[in-house]
Amino acid sequence: MTGVSKILAAVLLVAGIVLAALAYYLASRPAPQPAAAPVAVAPAPVEPAVPQASYPVVLASKALQAGTRLDADMLKVQQWPLALSQGYAKPEDLVGEVVRLDIAAGEPVTNQMLAQGLARQLHAGERAVAVPVDEIVGAGNRVTPGDLVDVFFSLEKGQEVQGSQVRLLQSRVRVLAYGAQSIDGPPVEADKPAVQRPAATPPARSALLAVPVDRVNELLLASRSGRLQLALRAPDDETLPDRNLFAPRQPVMAARAGLSAEQRAALADGPNRAFAGDSLAQLDGPAPQPVRRSGGGGSGPGGGRSIEVLRGDSAQRVPY
C-alpha cells in the first residue's frame, strides 16, 4: 500500500469515528416537549359605573347688594360635587339674614358674607350707641345684656340750662352690651387659656344701647352735657310716656320753604328727624316761644319794659 492510500484510509477512519460519535449523541438526546397550546383568557367583568356624589349648595339667584335682607326668591339650590364648609344646603336657613358683602348672581352664599355680631341684634330703624357707665349709673352693675332700662338724665344749671333738673329721657331701651358682656355671646377673651385671662374682670365703663335713630341726638347731648342714670325695668312692663302730651322740641335745622304735603310728612321720619338735630337749650325744657317785637321801642305788649334773653340759638323777650 502506497503512502497516499494510507493517508486516505486514515482520513476515512477518522471521519467514520466522528460520524459514529455524532450518531450516538443524537440518539442519546431526550425528545423535545411539544409546545403548549395557547390558553384563552376570559375578559374581566366590567364594573357598573358608580354615580358621583353631589351636595346641595345655596346660591344667589340674582345679584345682591350689601345690606340686603335675604328672601326666598333671592336664593336657589344647585347640586355640587363637593360640600362647602361655610355654605348652606337649605334656603330657609338664610331667609331674614342680612348680607354684608356684594354677592354676584350664581355665587354661593357663605357664612362670611352675612352680617355678624351685634349688628344682627338691631331692629329696623335702630342704632347701637355707647354711653359711659359706672357702678351707680349701671344700677349697681346689675345691668346685663338683654335687659330693658329707662334712661334718666340730669342737667346742672349753666349757661344754656335755666336750672338743675332730672327727667326721663328714653323708656324701654334694650341693652346690647354692658362692659365686656354682650348679648351675642361671651367675649373673645373667654376662649383663651386661663393663664392669659386677667385674674379679675375689670368694671364696666360703657353700655351699648339700641336706640331709635331719631332719639340718638338727645341721648348724645344728655350724655355729654349732663349725667345719665340707667334704671332696670320689668321685661313685661310696656308702659311708655305719651310724648304727644308735651310741647315738641323744634329741630336745629329748619325745613326749607315750598315743601309738598308728602315732603312735610317725611320730616317726621326717624332719619330726617335725626338729621334736623336737637339743641341742649331745648333739651332742658319746652320749645321757646317766638319773640314778638312791638313798635314801642323796646316796650312789652302791656306797655312795660322788657329784656331780650338769648338761649343758645334762640331768643325770648321777657317783660319786667
Side-chain angles (χ1 to χ4, degrees):
M1 179 179 295
T2 63
V4 175
S5 298
K6 292 180 179 180
I7 294 172
L8 181 59
V11 172
L12 292 175
L13 179 61
V14 172
I17 293 173
V18 171
L19 291 176
L22 180 60
Y24 175 78
Y25 170 75
L26 294 175
S28 61
R29 286 183 60 190
Q33 296 293 332
V39 179
V41 179
V46 179
E47 295 286 342
V50 178
Q52 188 177 11
S54 61
Y55 304 88
V57 176
V58 178
L59 312 177
S61 60
K62 58 183 179 181
L64 303 174
Q65 293 183 346
T68 302
R69 188 173 296 275
L70 294 177
D71 201 353
D73 60 354
M74 303 177 184
L75 307 169
K76 63 180 180 179
V77 178
Q78 280 189 358
Q79 297 296 321
W80 278 30
L82 49 84
L84 298 183
S85 59
Q86 300 294 327
Y88 294 85
K90 297 183 294 184
E92 52 266 28
D93 294 340
L94 289 169
V95 173
E97 297 288 347
V98 177
V99 298
R100 64 184 184 92
L101 302 173
D102 292 341
I103 304 177
E107 186 176 0
V109 182
T110 61
N111 185 53
Q112 295 91 338
M113 298 176 176
L114 304 178
Q116 306 292 332
L118 290 175
R120 302 178 63 180
Q121 306 296 331
L122 291 172
H123 300 159
E126 288 184 337
R127 302 295 185 269
V129 182
V131 296
V133 297
D134 55 23
E135 184 177 4
I136 303 302
V137 174
N141 282 336
R142 296 300 191 270
V143 177
T144 59
D147 284 340
L148 295 175
V149 297
D150 284 348
V151 181
F152 289 81
F153 81 108
S154 61
L155 291 175
E156 298 294 335
K157 181 178 180 180
Q159 182 177 1
E160 295 184 83
V161 181
Q162 288 183 333
S164 299
Q165 58 179 279
V166 177
R167 289 198 293 113
L168 174 63
L169 186 67
Q170 297 179 3
S171 294
R172 285 185 59 85
V173 179
R174 288 187 304 124
V175 180
L176 300 177
Y178 192 83
Q181 297 179 336
S182 174
I183 197 174
D184 63 344
V188 177
E189 288 76 11
D191 297 332
K192 297 180 180 179
V195 294
Q196 298 185 15
R197 295 201 300 268
T201 303
R205 301 180 59 184
S206 66
L208 196 64
L209 308 179
V211 182
V213 63
D214 59 323
R215 309 293 301 276
V216 172
N217 291 334
E218 65 180 19
L219 182 62
L220 296 180
L221 280 173
S223 64
R224 284 161 173 74
S225 303
R227 182 173 176 82
L228 300 181
Q229 176 70 47
L230 305 184
L232 278 169
R233 60 181 296 159
D236 56 351
D237 184 357
E238 299 183 359
T239 57
L240 295 172
D242 187 354
R243 296 166 62 89
N244 294 324
L245 299 177
F246 306 94
R249 297 196 302 268
Q250 300 300 317
V252 174
M253 296 181 60
R256 66 178 178 84
L259 295 180
S260 64
E262 182 179 358
Q263 289 174 324
R264 286 195 300 271
L267 292 174
D269 293 344
N272 291 331
R273 184 66 185 85
F275 185 80
D278 273 311
S279 65
L280 184 62
Q282 293 191 85
L283 190 62
D284 76 327
Q289 298 299 319
V291 177
R292 296 181 179 180
R293 300 184 180 276
S294 62
S299 301
R305 297 182 178 181
S306 63
I307 185 173
E308 189 175 46
V309 178
L310 299 178
R311 298 176 55 207
D313 56 355
S314 61
Q316 185 175 11
R317 186 166 294 277
V318 179
Y320 69 96

